[in-house]
Amino acid sequence: MVISEQPKYTKADFESDNDVRWCPGCGDYAILSAVQQVMPQLGIPKEKFVFVSGIGCSSRFPYYMNCYGFHTIHGRALTVATGVKSVNPELSVWVITGDGDGLSIGGNHFLHAIRRNQDFKILLFNNKIYGLTKGQYSPTSEFGKKTKSTPMGSIDTPINPISLAIASGATFVARTVDKNVKHMMDILKQAAEHKGTAFVEIYQNCWVFNDNAFVSYTDKDVKSDNSVYLEDGKPLIFGNNHEKAIKLNGFHPEIIKVAGSNNPLIHDAKSEDRGLAYVLGQMGVENPGLPVAFGVLRKVQRPTYQELLYGQEEQAKQKPKGSLEQILNSGDTWVVK
Amino acid sequence: MSTTQTKIVKKTESLEEAVIRFAGDSGDGMQLTGGQFTTSTAIVGNDLSTLPDYPAEIRAPAGSLAGVSGFQIHFSSKDIHTPGDALDVLVAMNPAALKANLQDLKPGGMLIVNTNAFTETNLKKVGYAKNPLEEESLTTKYQIFSVEVTRLTQNALEDLKLSAKLVDRSKNMFALGLMYWLYSRPMEPTIEWVKKKFAGKPDILEANLRVLKAGYHFGETTETFISHFEIKQAEIKPGKYRNITGNEATVLGIIAAKEVTGLELFLGSYPITPASDILHELSRYKYLGIKTFQAEDEIAAIGSAIGASFAGGFGITTTSGPGVCLKSEFINLAVKTELPLIVCDIQRGGPSTGLPTKTEQADLLQALFGRNGESPVPVIAASTPSDCFETMLEAFRIAIKYMTPVFFMSDGYLANGSEPWFIPSVSSLPKIEVKYRKEKEGFAPFVRDEKTLARPWAIPGTCGLEHVVGGLEAEQVTGRVSYDPVNHDAMVKIRAKKIANIENDIPELKILNGSDKGDLLILGWGSTLGSINAAIEKLLENGHKVANVHLRHLNPFPKNLGAVLKNFKHVLIPEVNLGQLRLLVRARYLVDAQGLNIVSGQPLKVRDIVEAAEKLLK
């Protein structure tokens, strides 16, 4: 039997002594707590965790974790995380970002990190608003949204982070919500165990600037009708009494009754084809009238960027081209006597 | 020409030096021709300096002025410093090349032209109403050698059944062969190169060799040329040499620093002229564990490099001015979090996209001040192509010892220009100590080394040193976020002092030529060194009391700069910008320094510096 020498951690080991400065009641507290509860369960030495963030309310996250952390600049956390993980692949790297940081100013890096399958986690706190700059509309704000900078309503079509991640070739895509801590912890654990980019969209309520943005999925009276919780290999069933299901009609999901129904849609997160995950990700977001899908939408294996990077390095080491001395003396040389 | 083949014995004139330029269409292979001539000239043992000059367009329309590509080489039996102001020989492969380059040919200089390319269409393309080769203004001013390069190339390859395109593309070898004969260079290095390069393509190999030799024998046997030249070996320090461009030396400097420090080296870069070659070249050294990352943009390039440094590797990013603009915010993050990093700025003509393939020195103030807040960054600049090697090692030393980003400045002229380089031995390289913080006792992220004021490098994975860094102002020592006014004032001053103190750790300025007191001091930085050295030699010859010093360290300045300046009546600062170093020197030392500022995309000419100096000395 292998005796683990891993120290036994508790949540408290991951709590920093910095005062948490989010507004009281912010959804970020629940996410912080969930992360701090999951960390001790991962069997990873505490010093190997690195939390990298950009700018925004969510990006203060690293200060509240008792881990290595880098609070970088607006939109660029993914680039820093790329460097961190590339020189030390043993680290467990977690990127904390928001809808403004990750999809607006950092939109370019988002798709490139994901297409490369960088071996880190991306937790995107989506509150559909700019909080830290006090209430302007964000790339996920709904069309027509009235904010300080859009007094007549936003004329921008919002982006669905899940759709963008899937289009970029994400190997792990999940959605959860701040109020469902148990579900969030399960998703975070699965993300932690995934090799490659693990993208998690977390619906997070900003009660100061965009309260109740996700109430349809958190209010106990309505949430069951508006959310479907995905489980791999299981049918998509929802509703207060598990009476409704999703069925595909061509590419179009439809709501059907469980009773007497034939063939509710069975979730297949491991499908190499991105189509199903894309359809599920759109439900209730880009495709109204349907419940929003929570859980792991897609989970496939592909070599990570770091595996490929070190793989090439190993391959090159099989055919070394010479020492520094030899490199300096290469090319057309001549001797002056 | 006589019908019977008689061996003509041709005179060999001995020369001290020569400046020649190959010019043609960008598809004519002029850069390759120049590169081959350089190699053979280096092997002969001449001192040399080169200046490639090529268009930003990959293939501008054939025969157009925009498409002219040139390669200039100055070679000599004595020590030389520049690619030369004016040409002894211009090889012009078409009318466009003639038109674009003729102004640089010395009166009486040799003009070798491919007459087959002087067709009506080609003449018209560049606005020649008449064939200029027949104009009296040319025939009386220059020695014109009309050579049917295209036809002679075709003749040499007649029986090989090659495509017309391939035949046409071989004609640069004719020009090369002819110039080898004219300057008594050996063909062997090029023959060897051709054999290696085209080992798998026997017909191209044969074509290149035939045409090369045809060019050589044309010079030797026809009556076109009555004499040729030789330039004796220069008196150079004994040892092993190679020819090297600035970008190659930069790469070797990075590799050497990686080997000396043992650090994980990570280059984050985005393609940009004239810096891309550094990315290409470094990516060939994966077997040494060097990691190169072609990022999605300039910002991601530096961000990944900073992440690498945070994790205990060494991050570098290579770019040119437009890229520096994009990286500014991240450079500031490295300043604020005090992480080692090198930003290589291979300067080019600006503003905006400017002149991608031309040289300029106009990013100095950007490197020093182009960021928000008080953001001190050490800035160092290479002065010759081979100096990029040592300057890069110095950039590493400062970055690691002081935990700071460092600007490494080169430019298009250094990047692509070349010179012979005395190959250093590995044992002679400077030692650079790397110390990661391991001890928990007394650790805080911003506890400082008493002498250097550097903070500890505590890297993720080290048990017990977990901490967070970021762009928000940090409390002294603890590094916690702090908005305290007294703390901010103190931190601003500590960061400034840390960089200013580096002046105690760099060599004092030395007078390079002339004596330490006199009428005029020429102060330079970066790639103007060669032109300034050559100008000073001339001024000293003319009997003036002049001297020159040259800055590698631009922030901070060497400690004795102020004292050196005050020993001269006049100070002249030649720069390929509108007076950026001059602004700094005047502000800092209250010295009435004058400038010579020509921003033409070309290196400064020696004669312009001599003229500016003599004007001040009047």
Side-chain angles (χ1 to χ4, degrees):
Chain A
M1 199 179 100
V2 180
I3 298 167
S4 166
E5 292 189 21
Q6 222 70 272
K8 283 267 175 270
Y9 299 116
T10 64
K11 177 172 183 262
D13 290 310
F14 291 89
E15 293 169 354
S16 86
D17 53 3
N18 285 318
D19 295 332
V20 183
R21 295 185 191 175
W22 289 315
C23 309
C26 176
D28 288 355
Y29 283 94
I31 305 172
L32 176 64
S33 169
V35 171
Q36 286 168 338
Q37 287 177 73
V38 166
M39 295 290 114
Q41 302 174 26
L42 300 177
I44 298 170
K46 189 163 75 88
E47 64 272 16
K48 298 219 162 161
F49 287 106
V50 181
F51 283 80
V52 185
S53 65
I55 293 293
C57 291
S58 59
S59 287
R60 297 295 176 98
F61 197 95
Y63 291 115
Y64 310 136
M65 293 293 297
N66 185 18
C67 293
Y68 283 97
F70 203 154
H71 179 216
T72 72
I73 56 176
H74 204 11
R76 319 298 176 196
L78 293 168
T79 73
V80 173
T82 295
V84 170
K85 186 72 183 181
S86 294
V87 298
N88 189 351
E90 286 181 12
L91 299 172
S92 176
V93 180
W94 296 67
V95 174
I96 310 294
T97 185
D99 40 318
D101 187 64
L103 300 174
S104 189
I105 188 167
N108 189 30
H109 310 307
F110 184 81
L111 72 99
H112 290 286
I114 290 175
R115 81 176 164 92
R116 294 184 181 115
N117 203 23
Q118 292 288 358
D119 194 7
F120 46 62
K121 330 297 161 205
I122 305 172
L123 309 187
L124 187 143
F125 300 7
N126 183 6
N127 57 14
K128 298 192 176 185
I129 199 80
Y130 278 81
L132 199 62
T133 50
K134 301 188 179 170
Q136 300 83 3
Y137 74 119
S138 91
T140 55
S141 297
E142 53 276 24
F143 186 87
K145 177 102 180 159
K146 285 192 176 166
T147 70
K148 280 186 184 156
S149 56
T150 52
M152 293 173 71
S154 159
I155 54 171
D156 293 9
T157 298
I159 200 164
N160 176 357
I162 298 272
S163 295
L164 185 59
I166 294 169
S168 306
T171 52
F172 182 100
V173 182
R175 185 189 280 134
T176 185
V177 57
D178 56 6
K179 288 274 172 62
N180 193 344
V181 172
K182 201 168 152 250
H183 182 258
M184 187 166 30
M185 283 174 61
D186 173 53
I187 294 296
L188 292 173
K189 249 160 77 182
Q190 291 194 56
E193 282 153 13
H194 180 71
K195 279 195 114 14
T197 309
F199 172 69
V200 183
E201 180 190 22
I202 306 173
Y203 282 171
Q204 173 249 322
N205 190 44
C206 170
W207 72 266
V208 176
F209 295 107
N210 198 20
D211 199 16
N212 293 329
F214 304 107
V215 72
S216 314
Y217 321 110
T218 55
D219 183 275
K220 66 178 174 16
D221 294 334
V222 295
K223 65 179 180 186
S224 316
D225 283 332
N226 295 321
S227 343
V228 56
Y229 279 82
L230 305 173
E231 278 183 78
D232 195 27
K234 301 260 174 72
L236 272 73
I237 291 174
F238 67 106
N240 229 350
N241 303 307
H242 308 288
E243 76 283 12
K244 290 185 269 192
I246 297 291
K247 185 184 173 177
L248 270 191
N249 178 6
F251 292 115
H252 308 289
E254 291 172 352
I255 299 173
I256 55 168
K257 285 212 166 67
V258 171
S261 90
N262 38 25
N263 302 331
L265 175 62
I266 308 289
H267 184 39
D268 181 8
K270 298 191 191 75
S271 168
E272 281 297 327
D273 190 306
R274 297 181 208 171
L276 177 62
Y278 194 74
V279 166
L280 297 180
Q282 287 181 298
M283 290 200 313
V285 184
E286 289 152 292
N287 199 349
L290 292 163
V292 166
F294 293 91
V296 178
L297 289 97
R298 179 171 157 86
K299 187 183 189 177
V300 295
Q301 283 303 321
R302 186 152 69 77
T304 70
Y305 184 84
Q306 281 67 29
E307 282 168 353
L308 296 168
L309 176 70
Y310 282 85
Q312 279 199 341
E313 206 168 288
E314 277 313 308
Q315 207 184 326
K317 279 176 184 166
Q318 304 303 314
K319 282 190 195 159
K321 286 191 239 157
S323 64
L324 176 59
E325 189 88 50
Q326 287 165 321
I327 296 165
L328 294 179
N329 284 277
S330 65
D332 290 312
T333 63
W334 67 95
V335 174
V336 174
K337 289 188 181 121
Chain B
M1 233 204 280
S2 57
T3 45
T4 49
Q5 196 76 30
T6 47
K7 178 89 183 161
I8 304 161
V9 181
K10 297 197 173 180
K11 224 171 43 188
T12 305
E13 286 177 44
S14 205
L15 296 177
E16 198 171 72
E17 61 179 342
V19 179
I20 68 170
R21 186 186 293 167
F22 295 96
D25 222 32
S26 45
D28 280 344
M30 293 295 98
Q31 301 305 320
L32 188 149
T33 309
Q36 286 300 311
F37 193 90
T38 303
T39 304
S40 299
T41 295
I43 288 169
V44 169
N46 293 143
D47 195 11
L48 66 88
S49 174
T50 69
L51 175 65
D53 185 10
Y54 52 91
E57 292 75 19
I58 302 303
R59 286 275 187 279
S64 69
L65 279 173
V68 174
S69 170
F71 190 100
Q72 182 172 327
I73 169 168
H74 181 190
F75 49 109
S76 171
S77 59
K78 56 170 200 170
D79 195 15
I80 52 166
H81 310 291
T82 74
D85 285 5
L87 307 172
D88 297 303
V89 177
L90 171 64
V91 180
M93 300 297 279
N94 65 12
L98 177 73
K99 191 161 194 183
N101 292 284
L102 190 63
Q103 77 280 359
D104 295 330
L105 184 61
K106 283 179 191 164
M110 295 170 76
L111 175 60
I112 301 174
V113 289
N114 173 17
T115 46
N116 295 130
F118 280 65
T119 60
E120 213 172 305
T121 330
N122 282 350
L123 290 167
K124 234 161 107 187
K125 263 187 204 166
V126 292
Y128 280 129
K130 268 177 66 187
N131 189 342
L133 302 175
E134 291 155 9
E135 301 264 341
E136 207 171 302
S137 59
L138 249 76
T139 53
T140 55
K141 196 170 173 192
Y142 309 107
Q143 310 171 53
I144 300 179
F145 297 87
S146 299
V147 183
E148 292 187 89
V149 176
T150 310
R151 197 181 59 80
L152 289 163
T153 301
Q154 284 162 353
N155 286 354
L157 302 178
E158 210 166 22
D159 57 323
L160 281 185
K161 305 220 167 21
L162 297 171
S163 70
K165 194 177 165 197
L166 208 60
V167 172
D168 190 58
R169 286 179 63 176
S170 306
K171 63 182 189 294
N172 62 330
M173 282 288 149
F174 191 95
L176 180 62
L178 178 57
M179 294 307 280
Y180 277 163
W181 173 79
L182 191 63
Y183 284 100
S184 316
R185 319 270 98 175
M187 282 192 284
E188 282 68 31
T190 297
I191 293 172
E192 285 312 306
W193 177 83
V194 168
K195 282 182 178 166
K196 232 193 208 159
K197 169 112 183 163
F198 300 111
K201 296 172 182 157
D203 50 340
I204 303 181
L205 191 155
E206 173 67 17
N208 274 289
L209 293 186
R210 270 202 206 180
V211 178
L212 177 73
K213 288 174 187 167
Y216 193 96
H217 295 137
F218 178 84
E220 193 177 45
T221 55
T222 69
E223 288 166 357
T224 311
F225 297 89
I226 49 165
S227 60
H228 67 149
F229 312 108
E230 68 169 1
I231 289 171
K232 294 226 160 57
Q233 194 181 323
E235 276 192 32
I236 300 173
K237 180 175 151 195
K240 197 170 178 188
Y241 286 80
R242 64 185 280 184
N243 194 50
I244 199 157
T245 66
N247 274 351
E248 286 167 353
T250 302
V251 168
L252 293 183
I254 293 170
I255 296 170
K258 190 243 172 331
E259 293 294 284
V260 165
T261 59
L263 288 169
E264 280 282 350
L265 193 115
F266 182 95
L267 171 75
S269 186
Y270 185 75
I272 185 169
T273 304
S276 305
D277 280 340
I278 302 172
L279 167 64
H280 307 161
E281 192 61 19
L282 260 188
S283 63
R284 296 174 52 233
Y285 292 93
K286 290 189 168 57
Y287 73 96
L288 293 174
I290 288 175
K291 293 167 182 63
T292 57
F293 173 59
Q294 183 181 315
E296 58 270 28
D297 60 26
E298 293 281 0
I299 300 172
I302 184 173
S304 59
I306 290 174
S309 289
F310 175 67
F314 191 97
I316 303 191
T317 189
T318 47
T319 189
S320 189
V324 176
C325 294
L326 288 165
K327 294 179 196 292
S328 302
E329 189 183 7
F330 251 135
I331 297 171
N332 248 354
L333 182 69
V335 167
K336 165 59 196 55
T337 54
E338 303 188 40
L339 284 168
L341 174 80
I342 292 175
V343 180
C344 299
D345 179 3
I346 317 300
Q347 300 166 94
R348 68 190 215 185
S352 190
T353 309
L355 302 169
T357 61
K358 312 291 180 204
T359 198
E360 204 159 288
Q361 293 185 296
D363 296 353
L364 177 60
L365 295 181
Q366 180 187 28
L368 275 157
F369 305 119
R371 294 170 296 283
N372 68 304
E374 293 292 349
S375 175
V377 174
V379 179
I380 62 174
S383 56
T384 71
S386 69
D387 186 51
C388 291
F389 180 80
E390 274 182 44
T391 304
M392 181 53 75
L393 283 159
E394 174 67 349
F396 267 84
R397 183 187 74 88
I398 294 175
I400 292 168
K401 187 167 176 182
Y402 295 91
M403 292 289 284
T404 177
V406 174
F407 256 103
F408 167 94
M409 311 294 283
S410 168
D411 59 34
Y413 171 41
L414 296 182
N416 295 315
S418 70
E419 64 178 350
W421 180 45
F422 180 89
I423 301 170
S425 67
V426 170
S427 59
S428 71
L429 299 177
K431 305 280 172 283
I432 300 171
E433 199 197 353
V434 176
K435 235 178 88 193
Y436 294 131
R437 174 81 183 208
K438 297 272 183 218
E439 322 82 73
K440 259 162 99 165
E441 192 62 34
F443 171 78
F446 285 84
V447 64
R448 291 176 190 279
D449 180 277
E450 276 177 22
K451 210 167 149 222
T452 62
L453 298 181
R455 76 175 190 91
W457 200 359
I459 65 172
T462 316
C463 184
L465 304 188
E466 291 85 350
H467 65 278
V468 181
V469 294
L472 286 168
E473 182 60 287
E475 188 179 67
Q476 289 178 72
V477 186
T478 67
R480 285 173 195 273
V481 174
S482 166
Y483 302 106
D484 180 68
V486 175
N487 176 73
H488 179 54
D489 180 60
M491 282 300 266
V492 165
K493 286 170 182 164
I494 289 168
R495 286 189 287 264
K497 194 173 168 202
K498 179 177 89 165
I499 303 309
N501 276 356
I502 298 173
E503 71 170 14
N504 299 314
D505 192 23
I506 58 176
E508 293 210 329
L509 261 187
K510 281 201 189 81
I511 301 277
L512 298 177
N513 299 282
S515 48
D516 56 8
K517 278 194 170 60
D519 295 331
L520 173 72
L521 177 77
I522 302 186
L523 170 66
W525 71 278
S527 66
T528 52
L529 176 64
S531 303
I532 294 174
N533 274 340
I536 285 281
E537 282 173 9
K538 190 96 197 147
L539 290 162
L540 287 168
E541 255 175 55
N542 294 355
H544 298 297
K545 286 185 182 136
V546 295
N548 73 310
V549 288
H550 209 77
L551 292 168
R552 169 183 278 177
H553 297 89
L554 292 138
N555 190 37
F557 286 134
K559 240 174 161 172
N560 64 333
L561 174 57
V564 170
L565 292 169
K566 288 184 173 127
N567 283 332
F568 295 85
K569 271 190 228 157
H570 301 283
V571 174
L572 175 66
I573 306 182
E575 293 176 89
V576 189
N577 62 39
L578 291 183
Q580 301 195 2
L581 174 62
R582 183 161 46 104
L583 183 78
L584 298 171
V585 165
R586 290 175 76 109
R588 171 92 184 257
Y589 302 105
L590 302 176
V591 166
D592 185 22
Q594 300 298 307
L596 167 66
N597 306 96
I598 299 169
V599 197
S600 63
Q602 298 295 326
L604 292 179
K605 294 213 180 331
V606 177
R607 60 166 179 261
D608 290 329
I609 301 175
V610 171
E611 201 177 286
E614 290 191 325
K615 213 168 126 195
L616 276 178
L617 287 164
K618 257 183 200 158

